[in-house]
Amino acid sequence: MSIEEFRNEQQFITALYEHLDELRCQAERAVRGALADAGTGLQARLERDVLVTEQSGMLSALNQGENGLCFGRLEFSDGRDHHIGRIGIRQDDAERTPLVVDWRAEVARPFYLATGHYPMGLRRRRHITTRGREVTALHDEILDLADTERTGYEGADADAVLLAALDAARTGRMHDIVRTIQAEQDRIIRSPHRGVLVVEGGPGTGKTAVALHRAAYLLYAHRELLAKRGVLIVGPNPAFLGYIGEVLPALGETGVLLATVGELFPGVRATGTDRPGAAAVKGRAEMADVLARVVGDRQSLPQDVPAGSGEDSSVVPEPALEIDHDDYGTLLLDRTMAHEARDRARATGLPHNLARPYFAFRVIDSLTEQLVDRLGADPYGGPNLLGPDDVAQLGKEIATSAEVHAAIDSLWPHLTPRQLIADFLADPTHLSPRDAELIRRAKDAGTGWTTADVPLLDEAAELLGVDDSERRVAEERERLERIAYAQGVLDLSLGSESYEFEDAEKEFLAAHDLIDAERMAERHEEADHRSAAERAAADRTWAFGHVIVDEAQELSAMAWRLLMRRCPTRSMTLVGDPAQTGDEAGCGSWRGILEPYVGERWELVRLGVNYRTPAEIMDVAAAVLRARHPGFEPPRSVRSTGVRPWVRESGDLARTVAEAVREGTPREGRLAVIAPRPLHGALAAALPGVRAGEEPDLTRDVVLLDPRQAKGLEFDTVIVVEPADHEPSDLYVALTRATQTLGVVHTGRLPQGIPT
């Protein structure tokens, strides 16, 4: 082997990190200087905040991307060569020469796509393995077969780097795959961002990694657009989001919002649990119509017959509300008046709260007309005796009457989403008795909002709307006050000028010559320096530039309504596997999910190679699913460990699992016990340091999960407990989480497909 080759790469890596350290120092000096030198004026503070934000963002990217910064080198047949890395780094020379090319750049594509049959201009592709700042290994691939030069680092196995990464011990956190992106994955990652792209693949095919790297690529390729609107990544549970949370920062991307469906309504975090069957009812598409009818029910008409309403008991008077007015006695808001007002408000097509003023205005007009007729009637049948000014004054008094507004509130109340859904769940209407009983929940139950409630809250918010007229009036009042203040400042500056040389041409410009009061006021508004992701998390109406959904097959029809509102452009990447659908509210087919929103304007691509699960484990998992679906074909595993899954029958479940954990916990890596939730208490008591009923800490050596919590995760060793008690799709998930070893512990029967 050429020691010189190795030394040259080490020298390059050393110089690269020295340059990185200098960039970091420059950024830190800039931040310190800005904090020390900024003036006290508002404009100076804003300029300081902008600089600090920019430099802090650069520092974050440099710090996060430092580990394994450079992982490859491309040598082209025309003499060009480029080092490839997680983030792009340039020299400080006049040409800003690239030291490391970002893996997302077009020139880096041959690193992932070139083959001997299609070299893409390459003569050699080098993989560089580092630990910290030290080069530990080189692996060269010859792409130009006519080139006879050799370095001594050529490997017979072209997949050596990939297999080494797959065999590495897990840490409880997902790592990026920029060193090992495969050709089929690269094509998906760089696919155009417009429209809906569905990425389907079985366990271990890298769906999640592809989705995350696609997010990083889109942010790189469409920076101006997506930096403003942001990217939303939706995951199945908080543990999963914690598991993937370090991938994008390591690639220099921090402006992404990661959330579960239960976190997508500002101010609400789903912590409750639905009863069996309730989530399926709440998730149905027809719930949108049900809630629309529930809102319609709150736009009511007078129902009560007024007391003392006629001597002839055979005549039933029209229902009306009696409104006691201090000055003018009793006013009657009858059903006809209310019906006309309701029709007028509904005709606007506005949401409930926004249409409410139209209802109120018509009611006030009708009551004013009633009062005018009463007070201004000519006893001799002539025209009304009240003039326009009198009518206007009466209308004003009606409009400011607390009793009148109380009557309006009783017929068309102002509602909030939480209030509406809490009332509906306490007394479900427009549902079958069985469905109503499934979702019924008392207001004081104390269980908290559930994930299935959040799409209902979002739907309610759409139906109700937000009447922000008072806020807008207040904002306009504040804006005018700022302008008035600014004008006063300008007037003072004008008044301070010397008029000694009135007729002489001024040599100096005053403040009012450069800026008017309105522009001056705008400059002094407090700027919002939150990132797009931070602002989006607080704004239900935020429209993201792109949305990525992991485990997309699990989402209900109502959850899809929520997500489609978050992305009006329908620029989305959905990843999932219908064979792993475990949620009872899941839609079941991509066409069923997408057709109502995009018709045929979506594309389906499939990943068919399993990089995680060894063939021995995949054979067992596939056999379990084939017992119910004979035609099922699993993804093809790229490796085999020679270790077949073991199965143990036990009379003392907790003890056997504890023994298996002691024997099987890897020296490096992670072990997961996946069991039905009712067994967690007993198992946790037998496993030191393991707790039940909490979101798992995936960085611990041993974790206890149920199959739903395990979705999207991977561990070196997995022990599946009581497989017969799992739903088939959940069992399939549990059996495919291991990268090295799988064990099964049971007390009774085994599902078909698991060897005895």
Side-chain angles (χ1 to χ4, degrees):
M1 291 188 181
S2 170
I3 297 177
E4 189 66 23
E5 288 280 343
F6 199 93
R7 183 181 298 118
N8 288 342
E9 292 296 357
Q10 181 61 68
Q11 289 175 350
F12 173 79
I13 294 295
T14 300
L16 175 64
Y17 277 102
E18 289 175 352
H19 183 64
L20 192 74
D21 289 339
E22 179 57 31
L23 290 176
R24 186 183 288 110
C25 289
Q26 290 175 8
E28 290 173 346
R29 285 197 297 269
V31 171
R32 288 197 300 269
L35 294 175
D37 300 336
T40 57
L42 180 58
Q43 187 66 24
R45 294 203 309 273
L46 295 180
E47 292 173 356
R48 176 201 66 193
D49 291 345
V50 169
L51 187 148
V52 169
T53 300
E54 291 175 349
Q55 296 300 320
S56 298
M58 190 179 94
L59 274 170
S60 176
L62 294 175
N63 293 333
Q64 296 284 359
E66 176 173 343
N67 185 32
L69 176 60
C70 176
F71 55 81
R73 178 176 177 176
L74 298 176
E75 298 179 23
F76 290 86
S77 298
D78 61 7
R80 293 177 297 135
D81 70 85
H82 297 287
H83 281 88
I84 308 299
R86 283 175 167 77
I87 58 176
I89 302 292
R90 294 182 178 275
Q91 299 185 48
D92 288 331
D93 57 19
E95 291 78 20
R96 300 285 288 162
T97 308
L99 276 173
V100 175
V101 173
D102 193 296
W103 67 276
R104 297 164 287 192
E106 189 63 24
V107 72
R109 289 207 76 178
F111 190 80
Y112 304 110
L113 299 182
T115 65
H117 295 290
Y118 181 51
M120 301 179 70
L122 287 186
R123 61 181 289 269
R124 187 189 313 276
R125 173 170 51 207
R126 169 168 290 174
H127 298 267
I128 303 171
T129 303
T130 59
R131 182 182 294 112
R133 303 187 176 197
E134 178 185 358
V135 177
T136 58
L138 302 178
H139 182 89
D140 288 342
E141 298 176 65
I142 304 299
L143 280 303
D144 183 356
L145 301 181
D147 188 344
T148 59
E149 181 183 347
R150 296 292 181 267
T151 64
Y153 294 100
E154 292 80 13
D157 186 354
D159 293 328
V161 175
L162 171 64
L163 294 174
L166 297 178
D167 283 330
R170 269 46 188 174
T171 64
R173 292 287 181 265
M174 177 181 276
H175 297 296
D176 64 72
I177 59 167
V178 288
R179 296 179 61 226
T180 59
I181 293 173
Q182 301 302 291
E184 67 170 355
Q185 297 172 330
D186 184 81
R187 283 188 286 271
I188 295 170
I189 289 169
R190 298 174 192 263
S191 178
H193 83 289
R194 298 187 182 277
V196 178
L197 178 67
V198 179
V199 183
E200 182 180 302
T205 53
K207 302 183 297 299
T208 297
V210 166
L212 294 173
H213 288 71
R214 177 163 167 74
Y217 172 75
L218 292 176
L219 285 163
Y220 173 85
H222 307 281
R223 178 74 64 189
E224 185 174 349
L225 170 65
L226 296 183
K228 293 178 181 177
R229 302 312 310 165
V231 173
L232 169 65
I233 298 180
V234 180
N237 54 59
F240 173 85
L241 295 180
Y243 175 65
I244 68 172
E246 296 177 1
V247 174
L248 287 170
L251 299 175
E253 302 295 348
T254 56
V256 177
L257 177 62
L258 279 70
T260 65
V261 170
E263 297 169 325
L264 288 178
F265 193 86
V268 169
R269 187 179 182 88
T271 58
T273 302
D274 275 311
R275 291 184 293 174
V281 174
K282 294 177 182 178
R284 293 175 189 160
E286 54 264 31
M287 284 300 298
D289 293 330
V290 169
L291 292 180
R293 292 197 292 272
V294 170
V295 171
D297 292 343
R298 305 301 289 271
Q299 300 163 1
S300 58
L301 300 174
Q303 300 296 326
D304 296 328
V305 177
S309 56
E311 298 178 359
D312 186 354
S313 60
S314 65
V315 177
V316 179
E318 183 180 54
L321 283 180
E322 293 182 351
I323 304 172
D324 294 327
H325 194 285
D326 291 340
D327 297 326
Y328 303 112
T330 300
L331 302 174
L332 292 180
L333 176 54
D334 63 40
R335 190 177 183 87
T336 299
M337 295 162 56
H339 204 296
E340 180 187 358
R342 186 175 72 173
D343 287 347
R344 180 169 295 189
R346 287 179 173 178
T348 65
L350 294 171
H352 174 88
N353 290 331
L354 299 184
R356 183 179 181 276
Y358 292 88
F359 177 82
F361 293 153
R362 185 56 196 152
V363 167
I364 290 169
D365 287 346
S366 296
L367 293 176
T368 301
E369 292 169 7
Q370 181 184 122
L371 194 55
V372 167
D373 290 342
R374 181 193 301 174
L375 298 180
D378 185 341
Y380 303 103
N384 196 286
L385 301 177
L386 299 179
D389 291 343
D390 299 319
V391 173
Q393 180 60 32
L394 289 176
K396 182 178 180 181
E397 293 181 18
I398 293 294
T400 57
S401 167
E403 292 78 11
V404 170
H405 282 282
I408 291 171
D409 286 340
S410 70
L411 299 178
W412 195 297
H414 183 278
L415 299 170
T416 68
R418 298 191 203 190
Q419 174 189 358
L420 183 76
I421 299 303
D423 290 346
F424 170 68
L425 293 176
D427 183 20
T429 57
H430 304 291
L431 292 172
S432 70
R434 177 183 178 277
D435 289 347
E437 189 56 37
L438 278 173
I439 70 170
R440 192 183 308 278
R441 185 172 71 221
K443 287 185 180 181
D444 57 353
T447 56
W449 297 108
T450 71
T451 297
D453 292 335
V454 169
L456 302 186
L457 290 166
D458 197 71
E459 190 73 26
E462 286 292 304
L463 293 168
L464 297 176
V466 177
D467 183 0
D468 61 350
S469 56
E470 292 185 4
R471 177 183 60 80
R472 286 187 281 108
V473 168
E475 289 177 350
E476 179 63 13
R477 183 169 57 249
E478 292 175 3
R479 188 182 74 86
L480 293 175
E481 289 173 355
R482 286 196 300 270
I483 292 174
Y485 175 79
Q487 187 63 57
V489 173
L490 292 176
D491 291 344
L492 286 174
S493 70
L494 178 65
S496 65
E497 294 177 23
S498 171
Y499 288 89
E500 183 178 352
F501 306 103
E502 287 184 1
D503 298 327
E505 181 179 354
K506 295 180 182 178
E507 297 183 8
F508 302 101
L509 293 175
H512 61 271
D513 296 315
L514 301 175
I515 190 170
D516 60 25
E518 186 167 358
R519 291 179 60 197
M520 184 176 180
E522 289 175 356
R523 287 191 176 185
H524 285 74
E525 288 185 43
E526 288 290 343
D528 188 348
H529 295 302
R530 294 177 299 170
S531 69
E534 290 170 330
R535 284 181 281 128
D539 184 356
R540 192 194 68 82
T541 63
W542 188 273
F544 288 91
H546 194 80
V547 172
I548 292 175
V549 185
D550 203 299
E551 303 291 351
Q553 77 280 351
E554 301 289 349
L555 270 60
S556 70
M558 290 299 292
W560 283 112
R561 288 177 65 87
L562 178 156
L563 287 180
M564 291 298 173
R565 292 188 192 105
R566 301 298 192 273
C567 191
T569 62
R570 306 295 191 257
S571 178
M572 308 179 86
T573 302
L574 316 180
V575 297
D577 178 16
Q580 297 184 61
T581 303
D583 197 295
E584 56 189 356
C587 281
S589 76
W590 303 124
R591 183 170 299 279
I593 291 169
L594 296 172
E595 200 168 60
Y597 302 101
V598 298
E600 299 294 327
R601 300 186 304 278
W602 57 282
E603 179 185 359
L604 173 64
V605 295
R606 290 184 173 87
L607 295 170
V609 179
N610 187 334
Y611 299 100
R612 174 206 303 144
T613 317
E616 294 83 358
I617 296 176
M618 200 64 215
D619 288 345
V620 173
V624 169
L625 215 53
R626 282 200 192 102
R628 284 179 172 256
H629 306 285
F632 171 72
E633 285 299 327
R636 176 180 57 85
S637 296
V638 299
R639 64 196 177 103
S640 174
T641 61
V643 180
R644 296 200 57 80
W646 53 262
V647 179
R648 296 181 190 174
E649 185 172 4
S650 171
D652 187 340
L653 196 67
R655 179 178 178 181
T656 303
V657 170
E659 291 173 351
V661 167
R662 285 194 296 271
E663 297 169 2
T665 302
R667 295 177 60 185
E668 294 183 356
R670 301 294 181 269
L671 181 148
V673 177
I674 302 179
R677 182 57 67 94
L679 300 179
H680 281 203
L683 292 173
L687 298 171
V690 175
R691 294 183 179 180
E694 296 183 351
E695 285 298 334
D697 179 0
L698 299 177
T699 63
R700 298 182 67 87
D701 293 341
V702 179
V703 294
L704 176 63
L705 309 166
D706 63 36
R708 304 290 173 88
Q709 292 175 306
K711 277 185 175 292
L713 309 181
E714 60 183 20
F715 306 89
D716 300 85
T717 299
V718 170
I719 299 173
V720 177
V721 181
E722 292 289 39
D725 291 347
H726 297 292
E727 292 294 328
S729 58
D730 288 345
L731 179 56
Y732 181 61
V733 169
L735 294 172
T736 54
R737 301 303 98 194
T739 65
Q740 301 293 337
T741 306
L742 172 67
V744 175
V745 178
H746 68 103
T747 58
R749 64 184 179 86
L750 284 172
Q752 187 176 348
I754 295 183
T756 57

